[in-house]
Amino acid sequence: MTTEALIEQATIDWLTDLGYTLIKGNELPENANAVILKGQLLLFIQQQYPHLPEEIQHLAVADFCNNAGADIDYRNRSFHLKLTKGLDYEYKDADGNEKAVHLYPIDFQNPENNTFWVVNQFSIVGKNKRRPDIIIYINGIPLVLFELKNWFDENTTIAEAFNQIEHYKKDIPLLFEYNTLTIISDGNEAQHGMFNASTEWYAAWKSMDGVTTIEDDFQMHTLINGLFPKERLLNYIKNFVFFEDHNGSLIKKGAKYHQYFGVNFAVEAAKKAIKPYGDGRIGVIWHTQGSGKSISMAIYAGILRSLPELKNPTIVVQVDRSDLDFQLYENFVLAKDLVGDVQRADSTDDLRRLLSTGSGGVIFTTIEKFRLKMGNDNQLGETEHPILSERENIIVMADEAHRTQYGLLDGFASNLRKALPNASFIGFTGTPVDSKDADTQEVFGETIHIYDIKQAVDDKATVPIYYEPRLAKLHLWNENIDAEVDAITVDVEDDSNLKWAAIEDAAGSAERVEKIANDIIKHFKNRTETLPGKAMIVCMSRRNCVKMYDALKAIENCPEIAVIMTGNISSDPIAWNEHLRTQDATEAIKKRFKNPKDPLQIVIVRDMWLTGFDAPCVHTMYVDKIMKGHNLMQAITRTNRVFIDKPSGVIVDYIGIGDQLKTATNKYTGGGGKGKPTIDMEQALNMFFNQVEICQNLIPDGIEYSNWKGLRDGDKVLLVRKSLNSIIKDDEASNQFMLEEKKLTGLLSIVKSQPQIQEYSVDVLFAQHLSKAIRNAKSVKSSRSNQKDQIKELISQSIESEDIVDVFAMAGLERADISILNEEFLLGAKKEKDSIDIKIALLRSILLDEVKLRLHKNIRKYTSLKEELEKVIERYHLNAIDSYTTIAELIARAKELQEEDHRIKELGLSDEELAFYDILASKKEIINETGLIQDVVHGVVKAVKSNLQIDWMNKEDAKAAIRLAVKKELRGKVKMEELNTILAEIMEQAEGQFSEWRA
């Protein structure tokens, strides 16, 4: 039986290929109560700092082993700071002269000066004795932990590896004082994360070079070769892990692969671009909204500050607006372990003072603080911005590099460059810069690294965003409004604002706002019944924000809501007073809204909080404002942050941004019968040989596995993965291979004692491993148990009729969600396409997924339903029926699924009993029992389940025992001449429903 030992050995093989040394845990002389190998650490310090007195060397070992802190998180941080920043010691040399040394437990600059050990199966004693799979020791310090599960067991999941880590934290907490990185894997998936993070923050490492994203390789192979080369791992440990202190609660964070490579590429670009070596244009990093751009900026600033060649540089973080400034500033302050102290320019004078000093550090400012000073009666104002510093080690990091970064001849951007003539510039953006706005390369240089919205969703760095059009028409009662506006503005050069006011007034009509408000409350309550979270409403103007607030508050049981907008007490209506807040009050309400437990559920905004605002618990945005381009994308990505159990964000469109969304999104995206013991042995052998040949012919071309037994475990894994990648793309090929392998394994149980089969052992082994990998990849795992509920919710959305809907309702169609990344959806930005086609494809996918989940419960019923679905789609593609009829028929099938759920409840049966009920109910006329058929069903299912055993499908005696038990249960209740017919159907259902039964 294949176990996780195969994955463990593969991991070891790949690490040793990188120069790591394998050490067997049971061969270590260390006491299992101490997880740090003090002898190795002392040896490193003695070799690295041979001039130090012996007592200082021993003291250093003791200091690195003992960490301060009330709990494991604080002790881990204490150690990490010592590890990455080193410790200072004073001593006297042989001549009595006072000396000082800054000492590190790792040589980060010279990887080969360190020892890298792969220690497997090392027993550690704590509350309980535990034996982690693999620990990476560097100079005797246990910095990386691997916990692995068996790839070839379809019932194991990566969640089990994570759960085991959680037990280790309770049983052997000392190990986690030193842990920097944790790896969990079930073979199929491999993810890295921080030991105290929840599962949603673990992620795959999908690149070996930072240029090519790898989707189809074995994930552990990519992770090890992408992160664990010695120099990279040391770089990651030193520069890419940090702690945030949230009012005494520590959050440990580590970079994802796109952050690691993007930042490193930017560091190398800076070395080449900084004056006098380059022209000061470092480049542009485009990492999509919600993928951790702020963290990347903080890490980058920290690395730049530590580069000796930059000689204590000044990092100027420059943003467009103060609300963006405050959000990013908070993130930098939280990352002070990396960046050190951060200063914020509160005024133009403050900025000039900070930049005029010669010291380094991080300074936050808005672009508008690079303004010219106005004059007064006695003095002229400035005509040109003064030079503040001519130092060449000033780096300006521009956040959201858009329009304000251009206009180098005049304006704030020009002033900035005059103030800092020798500074270098790098742009960070979550949205691509429109070529119509400016020449990005002219300002910042070439693009350094891209991580777009599609890749972020694929990597689960952000959640997908779904688009739900629910148009509420604008009612412009005055058809001659354009002509009348033209007459009024005959002397006005630009009347666009007046026309916009007319549109705003129409959008804010009382009848329309009331309808939308009622629809929002209904929609939000339905959504939060199954998915707790918060929502934002975006309106066209501040006036419309207030109107929406009033309409919502008038609805019974409206949740707590707030309007977030700027105000002017000298001109705004007094009725708006409750919505006008000081900066401190706005920050207080922002903290409330970010807190998922706070009762403030919905905020109404116009512009504020649509950029630079991060509230992961927001899962829905209601849009009643015309937006486009990067403004639209920045707004909708408020819903894409990862949060507990949050499957997606939803954009509900009331005003018609669909075409703009297609265009914008398109810019943001850069595939058995079994043998019987009574059979004649010679005939069985012939059947076995024939079955081997059948399986051989189904293995993809180019797969050479003849030396399977001689391959290292790691190479076996890669070979299976290569085969899996080729065959899994075709459902029919995958299903056929699993079926034929099942037949082969069934025949093997008969002929396994025959010497003639030995020459085919490699063929059988490879076929079994490949089949298990296919089954694992295709199975609905317990770790995805919430998938069923999510699919039910999607189907419910797909068939529910709403009062306010878009084209689908107008055409008499029901509604189905569609991802903004759906390829067919994006085609709408390029060419005309019937959107109904998209809905048909999506609804078909939803229904077939639901059928897959239910198939094993009722083989006959759901096989039939699946066939019906396929026939409906086939008829549609043959133009036998039109689009509307297709949707109607698909929805009818969806309703059948819902009715099935109601039927189960009404009959008082369990899910697994329903299929057996259908069998017996269809034969009601031959059943003699006078009571409820449900009573007979309970007995039959109990008879089946009481006789199940492991691998019962391959054991004739086990199947015979089940048949006998069912016969006993039905004897006297069913006519004897009909018993075998019913029994055959019951056994067919049992084989489908309980085929993978385990005790």
Side-chain angles (χ1 to χ4, degrees):
M1 180 67 181
T2 306
T3 67
E4 56 260 29
L6 184 149
I7 306 301
E8 180 180 319
Q9 189 57 50
T11 302
I12 291 170
D13 289 342
W14 294 325
L15 287 167
T16 54
D17 287 345
L18 294 175
Y20 290 63
T21 301
L22 173 62
I23 303 292
K24 298 290 185 182
N26 55 14
E27 297 175 2
L28 287 173
E30 303 289 329
N31 186 320
N33 290 288
V35 299
I36 203 164
L37 308 179
K38 295 181 181 179
Q40 283 298 310
L41 179 57
L42 178 61
L43 181 61
F44 167 79
I45 291 174
Q46 289 172 338
Q47 293 173 344
Q48 195 77 358
Y49 306 96
H51 57 284
L52 290 181
E54 185 176 347
E55 62 270 19
I56 296 295
Q57 294 172 340
H58 282 273
L59 177 60
V61 171
D63 286 342
F64 284 117
C65 290
N66 298 302
N67 306 302
D71 58 32
I72 192 67
D73 292 339
Y74 274 90
R75 292 196 293 276
N76 185 266
R77 182 193 192 190
S78 171
F79 172 75
H80 186 77
L81 291 175
K82 290 185 288 186
L83 172 73
T84 55
K85 299 186 181 300
L87 294 173
D88 290 316
Y89 293 95
E90 295 179 355
Y91 66 96
K92 291 183 178 180
D93 63 14
D95 299 324
N97 299 315
E98 290 191 355
K99 299 282 186 178
V101 63
H102 193 70
L103 185 150
Y104 289 90
I106 289 177
D107 187 340
F108 288 102
Q109 303 303 316
N110 304 288
E112 296 308 321
N113 287 347
N114 307 285
T115 60
F116 289 77
W117 285 4
V118 185
V119 178
N120 70 323
Q121 304 299 325
F122 179 40
S123 295
I124 300 171
V125 176
K127 176 184 173 185
N128 291 297
K129 185 177 181 180
R130 297 297 179 205
R131 190 171 62 187
D133 290 327
I134 295 174
I135 303 174
I136 300 294
Y137 278 88
I138 302 179
N139 301 334
I141 306 171
L143 293 177
V144 184
L145 172 64
F146 288 76
E147 190 57 38
L148 313 170
K149 292 299 169 190
N150 180 13
W151 183 29
F152 299 105
D153 181 351
E154 64 192 85
N155 291 302
T156 61
T157 67
I158 200 167
E160 293 181 17
F162 174 82
N163 194 55
Q164 202 149 330
I165 298 294
E166 295 298 289
H167 280 290
Y168 289 164
K169 285 158 59 176
K170 301 289 185 183
D171 293 334
I172 46 173
L174 186 60
L175 177 64
F176 296 96
E177 285 195 21
Y178 311 99
N179 180 262
T180 297
L181 190 62
T182 301
I183 311 296
I184 56 176
S185 177
D186 65 354
N188 188 48
E189 296 180 87
Q191 298 178 351
H192 68 99
M194 303 295 104
F195 76 91
N196 56 358
S198 51
T199 50
E200 66 263 29
W201 297 112
Y202 277 74
W205 191 280
K206 290 190 176 181
S207 184
M208 294 186 188
D209 58 8
V211 177
T212 303
T213 301
I214 302 173
E215 297 288 351
D216 294 331
D217 191 20
F218 193 70
Q219 284 191 0
M220 183 67 82
H221 185 249
T222 306
L223 170 65
I224 289 174
N225 286 282
L227 177 57
F228 280 84
K230 294 177 180 178
E231 184 177 1
R232 279 190 192 169
L233 181 60
L234 294 185
N235 183 14
Y236 188 91
I237 292 169
K238 189 173 194 303
N239 297 310
F240 291 85
V241 177
F242 65 101
F243 291 79
E244 292 181 351
D245 189 342
H246 294 260
N247 297 320
S249 176
L250 289 181
I251 297 176
K252 186 178 183 181
K253 294 186 175 181
K256 305 297 189 288
Y257 76 93
H258 67 280
Q259 296 168 312
Y260 177 84
F261 287 115
V263 168
N264 277 315
F265 291 157
V267 169
E268 294 306 310
K271 292 177 181 178
K272 296 175 183 177
I274 289 174
K275 298 174 182 179
Y277 311 105
D279 63 4
R281 294 181 300 165
I282 299 171
V284 176
I285 295 284
W286 168 25
H287 284 183
T288 195
Q289 297 279 353
S291 65
K293 177 170 61 72
S294 297
I295 290 176
S296 298
M297 294 178 71
I299 292 171
Y300 183 61
I303 294 176
L304 291 181
R305 291 203 62 196
S306 68
L307 291 178
E309 54 262 58
L310 293 189
K311 301 175 183 177
N312 190 24
T314 296
I315 313 296
V316 179
V317 183
Q318 178 261 303
V319 299
D320 288 355
R321 302 197 311 273
S322 59
D323 54 335
L324 288 176
D325 174 23
F326 194 81
Q327 179 79 31
L328 190 60
Y329 173 74
E330 281 186 328
N331 290 333
F332 265 65
V333 170
L334 287 170
K336 66 179 180 180
D337 286 353
L338 293 176
V339 301
D341 291 331
V342 181
Q343 301 180 85
R344 187 179 179 199
D346 294 322
S347 64
T348 296
D349 288 336
D350 196 26
L351 175 64
R352 294 187 178 189
R353 176 185 60 79
L354 291 170
L355 289 175
S356 297
T357 62
S359 60
V362 178
I363 300 170
F364 267 75
T365 183
T366 52
I367 186 74
E368 52 86 23
K369 288 186 175 65
F370 286 94
R371 64 165 64 93
L372 301 179
K373 288 189 175 182
M374 301 296 290
N376 53 40
D377 293 340
N378 302 318
Q379 178 178 342
L380 291 173
E382 291 178 338
T383 58
E384 187 171 298
H385 201 287
I387 294 174
L388 301 180
S389 177
E390 295 185 274
R391 286 190 293 127
E392 294 167 339
N393 64 343
I394 295 178
I395 294 96
V396 177
M397 295 169 55
D399 183 37
E400 293 304 334
H402 291 295
R403 286 187 179 89
T404 57
Q405 301 305 317
Y406 312 122
L408 301 185
L409 296 178
D410 192 21
F412 297 142
S414 173
N415 294 342
L416 187 158
R417 283 160 175 77
K418 289 174 183 174
L420 307 171
N422 294 317
S424 297
F425 293 81
I426 180 171
F428 282 81
T429 179
T431 58
V433 180
D434 195 318
S435 59
K436 293 182 296 184
D437 288 344
D439 186 352
T440 310
Q441 187 169 331
E442 181 65 28
V443 178
F444 293 106
E446 297 179 356
T447 299
I448 300 169
H449 193 255
I450 292 175
Y451 189 67
D452 69 17
I453 191 170
K454 186 177 187 305
Q455 191 61 52
V457 170
D458 289 345
D459 292 347
K460 296 181 175 58
T462 61
V463 300
I465 300 173
Y466 285 83
Y467 172 65
E468 184 177 320
R470 300 165 71 84
L471 300 187
K473 287 184 177 181
L474 295 176
H475 295 290
L476 285 171
W477 59 268
N478 185 351
E479 296 181 3
N480 300 316
I481 189 168
D482 280 341
E484 293 183 19
V485 168
D486 288 340
I488 295 170
T489 60
V490 65
D491 298 324
V492 180
E493 185 174 339
D494 181 9
D495 64 355
S496 59
N497 287 337
L498 290 171
K499 290 185 177 181
W500 180 262
I503 295 172
E504 176 206 327
D505 191 57
S509 69
E511 180 186 0
R512 182 177 181 277
V513 171
E514 183 180 344
K515 283 185 177 180
I516 292 176
N518 279 285
D519 193 66
I520 286 174
I521 293 298
K522 181 179 179 181
H523 185 280
F524 184 70
K525 286 185 176 179
N526 286 339
R527 185 153 168 74
T528 51
E529 275 182 8
T530 56
L531 183 66
K534 300 194 176 187
M536 301 177 73
I537 303 172
V538 187
C539 293
M540 195 173 295
S541 65
R542 294 188 304 140
R543 184 164 59 130
N544 284 6
C545 286
V546 175
K547 286 181 178 180
M548 183 63 70
Y549 176 86
D550 292 340
L552 288 167
K553 291 294 287 184
I555 298 171
E556 188 177 359
N557 296 323
C558 175
E560 184 176 350
I561 58 177
V563 176
I564 308 299
M565 65 183 192
T566 56
N568 186 334
I569 60 173
S570 64
S571 59
D572 288 340
I574 296 174
W576 292 10
N577 184 264
E578 65 176 303
H579 308 302
L580 308 183
R581 300 178 183 86
T582 64
Q583 183 173 334
D584 288 343
T586 300
E587 288 304 317
I589 204 166
K590 180 187 288 186
K591 289 180 180 178
R592 285 192 60 202
F593 188 62
K594 286 184 174 185
N595 181 358
K597 297 180 181 179
D598 191 281
L600 177 59
Q601 295 292 296
I602 301 174
V603 295
I604 308 169
V605 303
R606 183 189 69 171
D607 295 312
M608 290 182 69
W609 294 10
L610 293 184
T611 57
F613 175 71
D614 187 4
C617 57
V618 171
H619 59 40
T620 308
M621 176 176 283
Y622 300 97
V623 177
D624 197 33
K625 175 184 177 181
I626 298 169
M627 296 181 284
K628 62 182 180 178
H630 69 259
N631 288 328
L632 174 57
M633 294 305 292
Q634 283 182 326
I636 69 170
T637 52
R638 298 312 103 198
T639 67
N640 77 345
R641 272 49 172 180
V642 173
F643 191 65
I644 304 167
D645 296 330
K646 175 179 167 183
S648 62
V650 171
I651 305 302
V652 180
D653 175 16
Y654 289 107
I655 203 162
I657 59 169
D659 289 339
Q660 294 291 351
L661 187 57
K662 289 176 185 177
T663 302
T665 305
N666 196 55
K667 288 173 55 180
Y668 282 65
T669 54
K674 303 175 182 61
K676 301 180 184 299
T678 56
I679 199 168
D680 177 78
M681 189 55 68
E682 185 176 349
Q683 184 182 358
L685 280 170
N686 288 331
M687 291 173 65
F688 173 79
F689 298 147
N690 182 61
Q691 197 62 34
V692 169
E693 186 176 350
I694 290 173
C695 290
Q696 287 173 332
N697 292 334
L698 292 175
I699 291 171
D701 294 338
I703 301 299
E704 176 51 56
Y705 61 85
S706 58
N707 62 336
W708 172 264
K709 292 182 178 178
L711 294 176
R712 298 188 315 173
D713 285 341
D715 294 327
K716 288 179 180 177
V717 166
L718 292 179
L719 187 60
V720 173
R721 183 70 195 196
K722 182 179 179 183
S723 309
L724 177 65
N725 289 343
S726 177
I727 204 168
I728 199 72
K729 297 172 184 175
D730 187 328
D731 279 347
E732 186 176 341
S734 299
N735 293 334
Q736 186 182 1
F737 188 86
M738 289 189 291
L739 176 63
E740 300 301 342
E741 180 276 325
K742 195 173 182 181
K743 293 178 183 177
L744 178 64
T745 299
L747 288 165
L748 179 65
S749 66
I750 300 170
V751 301
K752 60 186 178 184
S753 60
Q754 304 301 306
Q756 298 96 312
I757 71 169
Q758 290 303 312
E759 60 182 291
Y760 298 99
S761 61
V762 170
D763 299 282
V764 175
L765 283 171
F766 185 74
Q768 288 177 331
H769 278 77
L770 179 54
S771 181
K772 288 176 182 176
I774 294 171
R775 191 170 291 109
N776 180 277
K778 291 173 72 65
S779 65
V780 181
K781 297 182 181 179
S782 58
S783 65
R784 294 158 58 192
S785 59
N786 63 338
Q787 183 185 37
K788 181 178 177 182
D789 292 335
Q790 292 173 20
I791 290 174
K792 280 185 177 179
E793 182 184 354
L794 282 173
I795 288 181
S796 174
Q797 291 177 2
S798 300
I799 64 174
E800 182 183 1
S801 177
E802 300 289 350
D803 292 329
I804 297 181
V805 289
D806 70 329
V807 195
F808 307 115
M810 293 180 213
L813 301 180
E814 307 286 349
R815 175 176 54 81
D817 287 341
I818 182 166
S819 168
I820 66 167
L821 292 178
N822 182 285
E823 290 182 8
E824 287 83 0
F825 178 75
L826 293 179
L827 282 174
K830 301 175 182 178
K831 62 182 181 180
E832 292 282 327
K833 184 173 175 69
D834 186 355
S835 61
I836 295 172
D837 290 352
I838 304 170
K839 296 299 178 181
I840 290 171
L842 181 68
L843 191 54
R844 172 182 179 272
S845 174
I846 292 169
L847 291 173
L848 290 182
D849 283 347
E850 179 72 1
V851 168
K852 180 181 177 183
L853 282 167
R854 296 168 181 252
L855 188 59
H856 72 281
K857 295 178 183 176
N858 196 327
I859 300 296
R860 296 171 68 83
K861 182 174 182 65
Y862 289 114
T863 300
S864 171
L865 177 57
K866 183 177 180 180
E867 290 170 355
E868 286 185 22
L869 285 170
E870 294 293 358
K871 285 178 183 176
V872 170
I873 299 301
E874 183 181 1
R875 288 171 63 200
Y876 169 72
H877 287 306
L878 291 174
N879 295 318
I881 55 177
D882 61 24
S883 303
Y884 304 106
T885 309
T886 301
I887 288 283
E889 291 206 25
L890 286 172
I891 288 169
R893 301 315 187 275
K895 286 179 178 175
E896 285 185 29
L897 298 182
Q898 286 193 324
E899 288 166 4
E900 197 75 352
D901 291 336
H902 293 312
R903 194 161 66 97
I904 290 172
K905 291 180 181 178
E906 289 172 0
L907 291 172
L909 299 171
S910 66
D911 284 355
E912 62 188 11
E913 289 176 327
L914 185 63
F916 295 95
Y917 174 85
D918 286 340
I919 293 171
L920 293 170
S922 67
K923 304 286 193 300
K924 194 172 183 180
E925 71 281 357
I926 63 172
I927 296 177
N928 300 323
E929 191 75 1
T930 57
L932 292 172
I933 292 181
Q934 290 94 310
D935 296 335
V936 181
V937 172
H938 294 322
V940 167
V941 174
K942 183 178 180 182
V944 172
K945 293 183 68 176
S946 298
N947 288 277
L948 293 175
Q949 54 181 274
I950 294 175
D951 201 29
W952 70 275
M953 296 277 289
N954 294 321
K955 299 173 181 178
E956 283 302 318
D957 57 343
K959 289 196 283 188
I962 294 174
R963 279 194 291 267
L964 180 60
V966 174
K967 275 186 176 181
K968 286 181 179 179
E969 182 63 33
L970 292 178
R971 191 167 291 139
K973 300 174 184 176
V974 176
K975 298 175 182 177
M976 287 301 296
E977 61 270 22
E978 303 287 352
L979 185 56
N980 286 335
T981 302
I982 287 186
L983 185 60
E985 292 189 28
I986 289 173
M987 288 303 294
E988 179 188 6
Q989 177 60 35
E991 290 184 14
Q993 188 161 327
F994 300 115
S995 59
E996 304 296 332
W997 185 86
R998 283 173 174 77

